[in-house]
């Protein structure tokens, strides 16, 4: 696959093909509203055709000669009542379906055991994941793993501009507003890799502000979460990776964090386990050594306007940093 093309492009997300709650209720509402709209058009069309094709009834003229006029008025009023009745029924049904869908979308069927605290940045996603045990909390970026069949509480916030958190196959859009925390929930009912996307224009690289959700069996999720809680391993001395750690800490550690090392930055994504992610640059490119090297050398060429600067490392230094980052599983 070419650099610049995310591997998730082969799987176009669609909210009409849900893979869990609350996306299922929202997709059902979409089909129900479509069915209601089609039924209304058909009914009105049939009534109109019948009215046009029906021969005019002979008027019963009374002595004053106004029978025909009275019949026309009565017939017209009846049609008005029929149209109002259809409108009221359609509105009541669609209102009820909408309320039911909103309720299902905002209230998980049981208390979510996992909380996903999302911070939307220009243009990447910070994810703090926690459960009932405080020591089990950890931070990652742009890739989220979830256990299949388990509801997840999602809390979103933003330090800069308005964003929108959206995983089409797992749940509806959640507005991400500065100074405000919004909540919803998701649940993946089948294993798979799902694409998430910012759905609110947030600046130049809005279209390239994506993230990955990997739904896997609970045992595999627990193994992933346990690995994420670990600090990064220290590379063996006198190796290319060890030299890369020194270069990374000196040149990149002010923006990025790698737990267990001297890199303590909080401006950019946490890279403690970056080698285990499917993509880099918020879903823009596949995570491969070649793509990683190109990204480090000139991020502006791949994602214009991104806040990551071109550090100006020599080619040997880039190779050393890539060797180091490839050890961070």
């Amino acid at each position: 696959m070419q650099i610049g093309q995310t591997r998730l492009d082969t799987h176009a997300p669609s909210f009409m093909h849900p893979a869990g709650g609350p996306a299922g209720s929202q997709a059902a509402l979409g089909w129900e509203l479509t069915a209601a709209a089609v039924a209304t058009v058909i009914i009105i069309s049939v009534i109109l055709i019948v009215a046009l094709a029906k021969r005019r009834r002979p008027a019963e003229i009374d002595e004053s000669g106004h029978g025909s006029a009275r019949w026309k008025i009565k017939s017209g009023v009846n049609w008005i009542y029929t149209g109002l009745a259809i409108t009221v029924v359609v509105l009541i049904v669609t209102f009820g379906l909408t309320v039911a869908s909103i309720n299902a979308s905002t209230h998980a069927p049981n208390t979510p055991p996992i909380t996903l605290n999302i911070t939307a940045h220009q243009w990447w996603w910070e994810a703090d994941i926690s459960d009932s045990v405080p020591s089990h909390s950890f931070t990652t970026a742009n890739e989220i793993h979830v256990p299949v069949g388990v509801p997840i509480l999602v809390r979103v916030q933003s330090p800069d501009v308005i964003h929108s958190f959206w995983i089409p196959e797992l749940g509806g859009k959640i507005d991400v507003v500065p100074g405000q925390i919004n909540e919803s929930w998701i649940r993946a009912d089948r294993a798979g890799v799902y694409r998430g996307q910012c759905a609110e224009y947030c600046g130049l690289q809005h279209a390239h502000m994506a993230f990955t959700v990997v739904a896997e069996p609970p045992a595999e999720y627990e193994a992933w979460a346990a690995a994420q809680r670990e600090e990064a391993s220290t590379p063996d001395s006198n190796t290319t990776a060890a030299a890369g750690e020194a270069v990374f800490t000196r040149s990149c550690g002010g923006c990025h964090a790698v737990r267990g090392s001297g890199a303590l930055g909080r401006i950019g994504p946490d890279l403690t386990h970056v080698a285990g992610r499917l993509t880099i640059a918020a879903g823009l490119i596949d995570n491969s050594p070649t793509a990683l090297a190109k990204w480090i050398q000139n991020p502006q060429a791949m994602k214009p306007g991104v806040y990551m600067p071109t550090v100006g490392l020599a080619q040997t230094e880039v190779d050393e940093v890539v060797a180091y980052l490839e050890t961070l599983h």
Side-chain angles (χ1 to χ4, degrees), residues 85-108:
I86 293 173
T87 301
V88 169
V89 170
V90 170
L91 289 177
I92 290 176
V93 171
T94 55
F95 176 77
L97 294 173
T98 302
V99 170
S101 178
I102 292 174
N103 182 67
S105 299
T106 55
H107 299 90

Side-chain angles (χ1 to χ4, degrees), residues 28-298:
L29 176 63
W31 288 115
E32 290 161 354
L33 294 179
T34 300
V38 171
T40 301
V41 170
I42 292 175
I43 292 172
I44 297 299
S45 298
V46 170
I47 292 175
L48 181 60
I49 292 172
V50 170
L52 292 174
K54 188 175 181 181
R55 296 178 62 184
R56 180 174 299 180
R57 294 171 54 183
E60 297 179 0
I61 307 298
D62 59 16
E63 293 180 355
S64 62
H66 299 299
S68 178
R70 284 199 301 269
W71 179 84
K72 290 180 179 179
I73 293 173
K74 181 179 180 181
S75 178
V77 170
N78 288 338
W79 282 114
I80 292 174
Y81 289 155
T82 300
L84 288 174
I86 293 173
T87 301
V88 169
V89 170
V90 170
L91 289 177
I92 290 176
V93 171
T94 55
F95 176 77
L97 294 173
T98 302
V99 170
S101 178
I102 292 174
N103 182 67
S105 299
T106 55
H107 299 90
N110 46 58
T111 303
I114 300 173
T115 299
L116 180 59
N117 294 293
I118 296 291
T119 302
H121 300 269
Q122 289 177 304
W123 290 276
W124 61 282
W125 303 89
E126 180 180 359
D128 295 315
I129 301 174
S130 61
D131 57 25
S132 57
V133 181
S135 61
H136 286 182
S137 300
F138 60 90
T139 300
T140 185
N142 299 323
E143 182 170 309
I144 306 160
H145 289 226
V146 298
V148 172
V150 177
I152 309 293
L153 176 65
V154 181
R155 306 175 78 243
V156 298
Q157 60 182 328
S158 169
D160 42 53
V161 300
I162 296 175
H163 302 272
S164 183
F165 182 85
W166 189 30
I167 315 169
E169 292 159 301
L170 299 182
K173 300 174 184 177
I174 312 173
D175 289 336
V176 189
V177 182
Q180 177 176 316
I181 296 177
N182 291 335
E183 293 186 358
S184 187
W185 70 283
I186 60 172
R187 186 190 66 235
D189 291 337
R190 62 173 183 265
V193 179
Y194 305 99
R195 181 185 176 92
Q197 179 68 45
C198 179
E200 180 76 25
Y201 181 74
C202 56
L204 182 62
Q205 287 299 326
H206 157 69
H208 293 149
M209 186 176 171
F211 59 96
T212 305
V213 178
V214 180
E216 54 197 359
E220 294 182 18
Y221 167 79
E222 291 298 337
W224 174 82
Q228 294 294 308
R229 288 190 284 267
E230 298 292 331
E231 293 184 344
S233 58
T234 302
D236 295 335
S237 59
N238 300 321
T239 63
T240 303
E245 180 182 14
V247 175
F248 179 87
T249 302
R250 180 184 71 245
S251 302
C252 311
C255 293
H256 295 283
V258 174
R259 300 191 305 276
S261 76
L264 305 174
R266 293 288 296 167
I267 298 174
D270 186 298
L271 301 181
T272 304
H273 299 287
V274 64
R277 297 173 190 166
L278 296 174
T279 64
I280 57 176
L284 178 64
I285 51 180
D286 281 339
N287 188 3
S288 68
T290 302
L292 191 56
K294 289 183 178 292
W295 175 250
I296 294 170
Q297 286 175 323
N298 193 353

